[in-house]
Amino acid sequence: MTARIINGTTIAAEQRGKVARETARLAAAHNIVPGIAVVLVGEDPASSVYVRAKTKAVAEAGMRATDRKLAASASEAELLALIAELNADPQVNGILVQLPLPKQIDAHRIISAIDPAKDVDGFNPLNVGRLARGLPAMAPCTPLGCVMLAKTVHPSLAGLEAVVIGRSNIVGKPVMQLLLAENATVTVAHSRTRDLPAVCRRADLLVAATGRPEMVRGDWVKPGATVIDVGINRVTGADGKSRIVGDVAFSEVEKVAGAITPVPGGVGPMTIACLLLNTLRATCVQNRLPEPTL
Ligand code: NAP
């Protein structure tokens, strides 16, 4: 068997197109243009690349992006003051603080200060709690993208045996909550899990989010399972060249799985698409308009 490839690039492009059409409709019908503020502290090269990519995608969707930059030496008080200003600005519907933050700033305090209604990253404790309670919440973008990709294979996830490897606050735990909300039977595995291969072999849906290059091998996967690979790991090959691989040994697993996301081109592109979707939803909620069903 060779797995069907779940093409995240194509699916994300479709999603972004839908968001752009809905954004144009919002502007035409209500004269509202969703606005997102992207906050970057310092000059970390990887963060700067991410911020540029997000800003470009926001503009392409017909939304307004505002870049707010602070020096690497900025204090926590300065960043809190900027968050307060953005919380109060009616032109700003979404606030995204690029992580990681410099050492002198407590990221948890900053994320907690973002207005939950504008928390398009879904990391504010109120949104985390609402998601855990099964209430409507702004959910984190990468986990949302994982579930959307899984649903391209299984339109209903109800009753599926799902195994999530990884329990981080930004990926593993929210993926678990979203899958539970879809009525999957969810097991969360982590570095202390006993006999991880056997746990994974139970899964109809396997989500790998460990940051361990190509950890999930072919014989860990139940034949026909759907595999969502969240990992983004840079490795150096035998030829000395560096490349990006996932947390799944793709060439082995694609021979066993029923469907699999590639890396790159799987979960990665969905993250920005879901950021746009969250910003659109936040704008509708803030303007007391019905949320789009995309
Ligand atoms: P993280 O915070 O480092 O968490 C990794 C999780 O994997 C932890 O829960 C850890 O368990 C578990 N783990 C590590 N080694 C393990 C092992 N040998 N066996 C079982 N579990 C193990 O990482 P993260 O932020 O969740 O990110 C995970 C991966 O996703 C990374 O490759 C990251 O680059 C990628 N990522 C991609 C996107 C995207 O847009 N596609 C977004 C975010 C992250 P313990 O809790 O027991 O330590």
Side-chain angles (χ1 to χ4, degrees):
M1 174 192 269
T2 304
R4 157 182 163 191
I5 306 298
I6 306 171
N7 189 332
T9 306
T10 306
I11 297 163
E14 285 166 10
Q15 190 63 38
R16 285 166 60 167
K18 285 185 197 167
V19 171
R21 283 192 289 283
E22 194 59 30
T23 300
R25 201 192 59 74
L26 203 61
H30 302 282
N31 202 20
I32 294 169
V33 178
I36 177 165
V38 183
V39 179
L40 178 63
V41 185
E43 306 281 340
D44 176 60
S47 293
S48 302
V49 170
Y50 288 138
V51 165
R52 270 200 300 278
K54 287 170 186 171
T55 310
K56 184 165 170 272
V58 169
E60 281 170 6
M63 299 180 179
R64 208 179 32 244
T66 320
D67 274 358
R68 301 297 296 260
K69 295 198 170 124
L70 292 181
S73 58
S75 68
E76 191 174 286
E78 278 175 81
L79 183 52
L80 285 171
L82 174 58
I83 300 293
E85 177 198 324
L86 298 172
N87 282 344
D89 185 345
Q91 301 284 313
V92 173
N93 303 104
I95 302 171
L96 188 153
V97 178
Q98 185 64 41
L99 302 175
L101 290 169
K103 285 190 197 64
Q104 72 275 17
I105 298 177
D106 178 348
H108 181 70
R109 199 169 291 154
I110 299 302
I111 290 164
S112 302
I114 296 173
D115 178 348
K118 298 187 178 186
D119 170 40
V120 284
D121 253 344
F123 295 151
N124 179 283
L126 192 97
N127 282 316
V128 174
R130 289 182 67 89
L131 188 63
R133 284 294 302 264
L135 296 169
M138 199 81 80
C141 301
T142 300
L144 261 184
C146 292
V147 173
M148 285 167 90
L149 291 180
K151 287 180 86 170
T152 64
V153 181
H154 310 274
S156 167
L157 302 175
L160 287 191
E161 191 84 44
V163 173
V164 181
I165 325 173
R167 55 175 165 179
S168 73
N169 289 320
I170 63 166
V171 188
K173 283 181 196 155
V175 167
M176 171 196 73
Q177 302 289 5
L178 289 168
L179 291 175
L180 263 185
E182 294 284 342
N183 298 312
T185 302
V186 191
T187 302
V188 181
H190 46 78
S191 66
R192 307 289 184 89
T193 297
R194 270 183 287 149
D195 200 355
L196 182 59
V199 172
C200 293
R201 275 192 292 272
R202 296 207 309 256
D204 305 307
L205 172 62
L206 181 61
V207 181
T210 64
R212 299 279 178 269
E214 302 182 317
M215 188 182 87
V216 176
R217 314 304 306 217
D219 61 358
W220 294 27
V221 174
K222 175 162 136 181
T226 297
V227 179
I228 306 290
D229 187 352
V230 188
I232 303 178
N233 309 291
R234 185 168 287 283
V235 295
T236 306
D239 57 3
K241 288 190 182 145
S242 101
R243 63 196 172 96
I244 300 287
V245 299
D247 293 345
V248 174
F250 184 89
S251 58
E252 288 180 21
V253 173
E254 73 162 343
K255 296 189 181 83
V256 185
I260 184 169
T261 59
V263 177
V267 174
M270 293 301 290
T271 299
I272 289 185
C274 290
L275 174 69
L276 301 176
L277 182 59
N278 274 353
T279 305
L280 178 63
R281 284 187 174 147
T283 306
C284 291
V285 171
Q286 287 161 37
N287 287 282
R288 296 187 169 74
L289 294 168
E291 282 190 56
T293 46
L294 300 179

